[in-house]
Amino acid sequence: MRNKKDLHLAGCLVDLNSKTEIPDKIKDLDVISLNKKAELMFEKAMIANNENDEEVVYIYLMKYCQILQVMKKTFTNDKNYIDLMYKDNLKKAIKMLTYIKESLERRYNEKTKEEDNNKLIKRSSQNRKRFEEKLNFEFESTITNKNLLYLLDNTDKKKICLLDTRPSDIFNNNKIISCDVINIPKEHLVLGLTPAILTTKLEDQFKEIWKNRHNYNYIVILDQGTEDIDDDQRLLNLKNALLKWDSACDNSKKLKFLRGGYEDFNHLCPWKTTQNNILKSNKDVEPLSDIELDPEPEYEEHESTVQNDLARLKINSTFHNGITTNIKSKLDHRDNYSSEEDIDPQELTHTPINKPQLPIFDRSTKPHVKINQFMNPEIIKPLYKNNDELDDENNEIPNNIEQLENRRLSLENSFLENIDSYVRDYKNQDTDLNSIPRVDRSTKPSDDLLIVSRTKIIGGDGLRGLQNLGNTCYMNSILQCLSSTEDLVKYFINIYSNFTNYKSRTKGLVAKEFSNVIKNLWSQSGRGFQSQQFKDTIGEYKDMFKHYDQQDSHEFLTILLDWLHDDLNQPEDNRVILGASKETGEEDWGNWTKANNSIIQQLFYGQQKSTVSCDTCFEKSVTFEPFLSLSLPLPSEGNKCTLSDCLQLYLNGESICGWHCPKCKRSRDATKKLDIMRLPPYLIIHLKRFSSNGYKKNSNVEFPKMNLDMSNFINGLEHRNWKYCLYGVSNHSGSLDGGHYTASCLKNSINKWYKFDDVRVYEIDSSTICSPEAYILFYRRKN
């Protein structure tokens, strides 16, 4: 006897029963159409029975019985009813259901017990692994960044001291903040160094820590990025001073060298460091939830396919004339994922596909976002696959390059007729756009953006869904919001490939795969697109995206836009900045845009001024910084607030501790004040809902959809239209223990709002957009 198919659609019989309902409007069908549907359900149940899939058999037979019940109640006086009732099949169905129900109840109970046992085993294994990791580095003279992170998270931080040998100016701007740190610049680490000599060279703020060095369990030496302490004589001098000449204590077991230095540690856990341009305290760290409560987990994706076989039968006049061959062929197509936009609300869904269940990983904290601080790729694989469509003949992804390239070309052919004209206009803008006034890019929009805005989106309507590859709803939510950013879509559909920077960190590959996603989302296909190739590509350059654990959508957005900017950057180092004011930030902006010139910079980047003032001598330090999004705090009290409240709170001064005052020459309490100096054409606003205290702020932030007026919140001298309209929202539902991301986007061409819930796409009322689930807001400047 063949083994029964593994349980894959539900966790208990109650969940499975929720998948057996048929639409109310099925009652509107005539007895002939109902009979054909019942017959189809019974046939599908028998097919599933041959495959030993009890869950699918149960669903189909339950639907079969419900359809017969409708026929019995509605058509008892219809003479066709007696001829069409399959009494033998009904008896067989009831008998099978009785047996299968008992079997499923028993199997669900056994599965629950097995899962509970596996959790206990896994937890025990994790604890043992942590203990073994700790033992491994206890007796080593070097320590990895992961080991250091383990110590910081699992031991007493007060017993760890770091000796940071980077230059003082670099150290003050960017340092580890999770434990005691002493800055000992390498210039002081001379041959013959002793602890006594070193004491005289330290700044006053570090002398007390150095004096108590013998009380620490771990003393860790680090520099910017050295892998081996033997490669740097000055580091060896410091090591010898502590091992050979520190007679008061034996430091041999506690002294470690951090492999990869500060640079690698910052890549691993940037939330435990601080930078001069992103001053955040520990309370601003935003944890991520552990488990993503996707409305379509693995078994629900199967269920959606199960239901489609009951129909693909649109409940309208078509079925009064019988089931057509075309519809029946759609029923048999097992791999046809469709969005809700393509599925009629009265439709039922189709046959399940068995997918391997993807793992869920724990991720309890959200790292700080830092621009241009990501690891270089270790491996670059050739990217040939295009996962847009499955092969029509065998339902498999094409396995040779010719098929893949032909498929890619067939998708792009619809754009080719227009690309040449756009590129000619783009490259010859000096001669073709004489009617457009030439402007200084340090203060005005780029000519590139003017040209892109005049092109058209060629393709579909942008209402295609994205398949959830396993906890990838965070990625799908952001991709749909970016797919609703019109100028960005125009650029990637029409002209992007002519301006790729192949010397970037990702060799232009992230931009290439992002363009493929955009083109597929704007293609005419109604089936949900599988962005596996895009995910695989970003996973090559960032480990956090390599697996299937949940991530934060804002963190993903920031990293993605930074990569795209790098892939498309065309610096203009020879451009001269004339007459730009230093005090207003124009000079800094002009110099920054000389080295950072891409469509991402032109669309999304703004500028803000950071003023830190010493509370003792009132000395001020002013820096101008580009920003990609505004991360706004939410008021700590109340369940309701406005976006204006959050903006005002963001711009209010905040107190900071330990600021090194250049005038006092020592650490002082200070006040930091932010001012927005210039705003981008597309403004991204991030609502900081996640708290380090272990909860999510579910405040209902009221934000305008049509007229966001930023004139009261900008302090710069640029004179432009400061009014914005909303076009996209990345939503997060749930809590820190589990959540799900969706997107709400405005399709401007038809002036309608749609909900993008992975593969499901459906129209929504604009009044539902402003909710406690709103997490990231996407605004565009009004013309």
Side-chain angles (χ1 to χ4, degrees):
M1 182 177 180
R2 290 180 295 120
N3 291 331
K4 295 178 181 178
K5 194 169 185 177
D6 290 342
L7 299 172
H8 59 102
L9 295 182
C12 63
L13 202 60
V14 174
D15 291 342
L16 194 64
N17 281 326
S18 67
K19 306 175 190 302
T20 63
E21 297 299 324
I22 60 175
D24 291 337
K25 289 192 176 182
I26 202 169
K27 299 175 183 178
D28 297 335
L29 298 182
D30 58 70
V31 66
I32 302 292
S33 299
L34 282 171
N35 178 68
K36 288 182 178 180
K37 291 181 179 62
E39 182 181 3
L40 178 64
M41 291 299 97
F42 189 84
E43 290 175 356
K44 293 291 184 181
M46 294 306 101
I47 293 173
N49 187 55
N50 291 335
E51 297 173 353
N52 262 9
D53 193 336
E54 288 187 331
E55 287 177 313
V56 176
V57 173
Y58 183 85
I59 289 174
Y60 281 138
L61 289 181
M62 288 292 288
K63 289 181 178 180
Y64 166 77
C65 292
Q66 289 182 66
I67 295 174
L68 292 185
Q69 187 68 20
V70 171
M71 293 172 65
K72 181 179 179 181
K73 289 181 179 179
T74 309
F75 301 102
T76 52
N77 297 323
D78 192 322
K79 64 179 182 178
N80 292 325
Y81 168 72
I82 302 299
D83 298 330
L84 294 173
M85 281 294 290
Y86 289 88
K87 295 183 178 179
D88 291 339
N89 286 348
L90 180 58
K91 291 179 180 178
K92 184 176 181 180
I94 294 174
K95 184 177 181 180
M96 291 179 65
L97 280 172
T98 302
Y99 168 78
I100 291 175
K101 181 179 179 181
E102 294 176 354
S103 175
L104 286 173
E105 285 180 333
R106 182 180 65 257
R107 293 176 64 195
Y108 282 133
N109 290 333
E110 291 173 353
K111 183 179 179 181
T112 300
K113 292 179 181 178
E114 182 180 355
E115 289 176 347
D116 290 342
N117 289 335
N118 289 340
K119 288 179 181 178
L120 290 174
I121 294 172
K122 183 178 179 181
R123 190 178 301 116
S124 175
S125 176
Q126 290 174 341
N127 292 335
R128 184 173 62 255
K129 183 177 179 182
R130 293 192 187 101
F131 177 75
E132 290 174 351
E133 286 178 347
K134 187 174 187 297
L135 288 180
N136 286 339
F137 62 78
E138 284 289 347
F139 302 100
E140 296 288 338
S141 61
T142 61
I143 187 173
T144 66
N145 286 281
K146 289 183 179 180
N147 293 152
L148 178 57
L149 178 60
Y150 173 85
L151 288 177
L152 293 174
D153 289 339
N154 297 279
T155 64
D156 186 358
K157 298 175 184 179
K158 296 179 181 180
K159 294 295 184 179
I160 303 172
C161 179
L162 306 182
L163 307 183
D164 193 324
T165 64
R166 295 175 299 150
S168 297
D169 54 343
I170 296 177
F171 170 83
N172 289 327
N173 289 336
N174 202 343
K175 57 189 174 184
I176 298 173
I177 58 174
S178 299
C179 60
D180 288 341
V181 185
I182 301 175
N183 181 216
I184 311 175
K186 282 188 180 180
E187 60 192 65
H188 300 321
L189 306 181
V190 297
L191 196 64
L193 183 70
T194 65
I197 296 175
L198 194 53
T199 302
T200 63
K201 298 181 178 296
L202 294 177
E203 295 184 21
D204 292 342
Q205 59 179 317
F206 302 123
K207 288 184 177 179
E208 189 64 27
I209 301 176
W210 177 252
K211 180 180 177 181
N212 296 320
R213 63 188 180 277
H214 304 134
N215 297 327
Y216 293 102
N217 293 336
Y218 299 95
I219 299 177
V220 182
I221 300 173
L222 65 108
D223 66 353
Q224 183 63 23
T226 300
E227 286 290 337
D228 190 346
I229 192 171
D230 292 330
D231 294 337
D232 192 316
Q233 182 58 48
R234 291 184 178 270
L235 295 177
L236 288 174
N237 293 339
L238 176 58
K239 177 182 177 181
N240 291 333
L242 289 166
L243 292 180
K244 297 181 179 180
W245 308 111
D246 197 2
S247 57
C249 182
D250 180 9
N251 297 316
S252 58
K253 292 183 178 180
K254 66 174 64 177
L255 185 63
K256 311 288 181 183
F257 170 71
L258 183 63
R259 295 201 298 269
Y262 176 85
E263 185 175 348
D264 280 0
F265 185 83
N266 186 48
H267 289 321
L268 176 66
C269 46
W271 62 94
K272 292 190 178 293
T273 67
T274 183
Q275 294 185 6
N276 190 44
N277 63 340
I278 304 179
L279 292 173
K280 289 188 176 183
S281 63
N282 286 339
K283 67 180 180 180
D284 291 320
V285 178
E286 303 178 4
L288 291 178
S289 53
D290 294 334
I291 301 175
E292 180 179 8
L293 296 180
D294 192 334
E296 272 201 339
E298 187 63 21
Y299 58 83
E300 291 193 10
E301 289 187 7
H302 291 302
E303 183 271 337
S304 68
T305 59
V306 170
Q307 290 181 346
N308 264 346
D309 267 325
L310 178 58
R312 276 314 202 191
L313 307 174
K314 296 190 175 179
I315 312 300
N316 53 33
S317 59
T318 302
F319 296 104
H320 292 282
N321 298 323
I323 303 176
T324 66
T325 303
N326 182 47
I327 293 177
K328 189 169 178 60
S329 67
K330 290 184 179 180
L331 285 170
D332 294 333
H333 189 62
R334 293 175 176 246
D335 202 22
N336 186 10
Y337 288 83
S338 298
S339 66
E340 287 193 8
E341 184 63 21
D342 301 308
I343 301 176
D344 191 281
Q346 292 85 34
E347 287 183 328
L348 301 173
T349 53
H350 72 151
T351 305
I353 306 172
N354 292 323
K355 286 171 51 180
Q357 186 168 0
L358 300 172
I360 298 177
F361 295 86
D362 174 64
R363 182 173 174 80
S364 58
T365 57
K366 171 191 171 185
H368 283 277
V369 175
K370 295 183 174 63
I371 299 171
N372 291 327
Q373 293 290 326
F374 309 113
M375 296 176 65
N376 292 326
E378 296 179 1
I379 303 175
I380 302 176
K381 296 181 179 178
L383 304 176
Y384 296 117
K385 285 198 276 187
N386 179 5
N387 290 330
D388 173 34
E389 303 291 346
L390 295 179
D391 187 77
D392 294 332
E393 295 182 0
N394 57 18
N395 288 339
E396 293 180 356
I397 296 174
N399 56 9
N400 64 68
I401 296 174
E402 288 77 15
Q403 282 182 292
L404 293 166
E405 291 304 319
N406 288 338
R407 184 157 293 168
R408 187 185 295 273
L409 289 174
S410 68
L411 174 65
E412 296 179 348
N413 277 339
S414 61
F415 308 109
L416 291 179
E417 294 178 359
N418 298 276
I419 290 179
D420 290 340
S421 61
Y422 294 132
V423 174
R424 284 196 301 271
D425 291 342
Y426 191 88
K427 290 185 175 179
N428 299 312
Q429 51 187 292
D430 290 333
T431 56
D432 295 338
L433 299 175
N434 289 329
S435 61
I436 301 175
R438 306 298 291 173
V439 295
D440 182 351
R441 288 190 180 178
S442 66
T443 58
K444 301 294 182 183
S446 168
D447 292 339
D448 302 350
L449 184 53
L450 292 174
I451 294 168
V452 169
S453 65
R454 292 181 174 183
T455 63
K456 295 180 179 180
I457 299 176
I458 306 166
D461 51 15
L463 295 178
R464 192 174 181 188
L466 283 163
Q467 292 184 26
N468 193 315
L469 307 176
N471 286 339
T472 56
C473 60
Y474 71 92
M475 182 177 75
N476 293 349
S477 172
I478 294 303
L479 290 176
Q480 293 292 6
C481 289
L482 294 179
S483 178
S484 300
T485 306
E486 288 193 357
D487 287 330
L488 187 71
V489 172
K490 293 174 182 178
Y491 182 87
F492 274 96
I493 286 181
N494 296 328
I495 62 176
Y496 105 92
S497 59
N498 296 277
F499 305 95
T500 304
N501 173 21
Y502 295 103
K503 296 182 180 179
S504 67
R505 287 166 293 168
T506 66
K507 315 301 180 186
L509 294 177
V510 170
K512 176 184 176 183
E513 292 305 324
F514 178 77
S515 175
N516 184 43
V517 171
I518 293 297
K519 289 177 181 178
N520 274 286
L521 290 180
W522 282 85
S523 72
Q524 296 289 355
S525 174
R527 186 165 59 184
F529 176 56
Q530 186 185 72
S531 56
Q532 185 69 56
Q533 188 63 62
F534 173 79
K535 182 187 177 300
D536 289 345
T537 300
I538 63 175
E540 291 293 339
Y541 300 101
K542 197 73 174 172
D543 285 343
M544 62 193 296
F545 302 134
K546 182 177 294 184
H547 304 291
Y548 293 92
D549 47 339
Q550 181 185 214
Q551 303 295 342
D552 176 68
S553 69
H554 180 248
E555 186 176 10
F556 169 73
L557 170 66
T558 304
I559 295 174
L560 174 60
L561 290 182
D562 181 58
W563 277 340
L564 291 177
H565 165 66
D566 204 20
D567 278 356
L568 302 169
N569 193 19
Q570 302 287 333
E572 296 185 332
D573 296 330
N574 58 346
R575 179 159 55 88
V576 179
I577 307 299
L578 298 176
S581 169
K582 178 68 175 176
E583 289 73 20
T584 63
E586 288 181 319
E587 182 179 323
D588 287 77
W589 180 253
N591 288 326
W592 184 76
T593 54
K594 282 171 63 176
N596 296 274
N597 176 44
S598 73
I599 191 67
I600 304 301
Q601 170 261 311
Q602 294 157 20
L603 291 177
F604 298 108
Y605 274 93
Q607 185 191 39
Q608 61 185 6
K609 179 174 71 172
S610 173
T611 304
V612 182
S613 176
C614 178
D615 291 349
T616 302
C617 70
F618 304 108
E619 176 73 10
K620 293 183 178 180
S621 173
V622 177
T623 56
F624 293 95
E625 307 156 352
F627 68 83
L628 183 58
S629 64
L630 296 176
S631 291
L632 307 184
L634 275 60
S636 57
E637 297 181 358
N639 295 322
K640 207 168 187 180
C641 61
T642 66
L643 187 60
S644 295
D645 296 333
C646 299
L647 282 164
Q648 194 58 58
L649 188 61
Y650 176 75
L651 297 174
N652 287 343
E654 65 170 339
S655 297
I656 58 176
C657 302
W659 182 64
H660 187 74
C661 176
K663 185 175 181 180
C664 297
K665 302 296 183 183
R666 63 194 315 172
S667 294
R668 295 289 194 188
D669 290 341
T671 302
K672 179 184 178 182
K673 175 74 170 65
L674 294 175
D675 291 288
I676 300 173
M677 305 306 292
R678 69 179 63 245
L679 290 166
Y682 287 83
L683 177 61
I684 302 174
I685 296 178
H686 165 227
L687 303 177
K688 297 171 65 175
R689 293 192 177 276
F690 298 107
S691 168
S692 60
N693 295 330
Y695 68 93
K696 175 188 173 187
K697 297 180 180 179
N698 290 309
S699 305
N700 189 5
V701 181
E702 295 182 357
F703 48 86
K705 293 188 286 290
M706 295 303 298
N707 290 293
L708 171 61
D709 189 351
M710 293 292 292
S711 57
N712 294 328
F713 304 104
I714 188 167
N715 197 30
L717 299 178
E718 61 168 352
H719 297 285
R720 288 195 203 155
N721 183 1
W722 292 322
K723 290 187 177 180
Y724 289 80
C725 59
L726 186 75
Y727 70 90
V729 181
S730 175
N731 305 295
H732 180 271
S733 58
S735 65
L736 286 177
D737 295 327
H740 177 60
Y741 288 98
T742 61
S744 303
C745 299
L746 173 67
K747 293 305 175 182
N748 197 47
S749 59
I750 52 179
N751 195 32
K752 291 182 179 179
W753 282 89
Y754 289 87
K755 186 70 168 285
F756 293 84
D757 187 352
D758 291 332
V759 78
R760 301 193 301 267
V761 181
Y762 51 93
E763 185 178 348
I764 57 174
D765 191 281
S766 61
S767 62
T768 65
I769 295 167
C770 187
S771 74
E773 295 180 356
Y775 183 44
I776 307 174
L777 311 178
F778 292 78
Y779 282 94
R780 62 177 175 83
R781 180 179 285 139
K782 299 182 70 173
N783 296 328

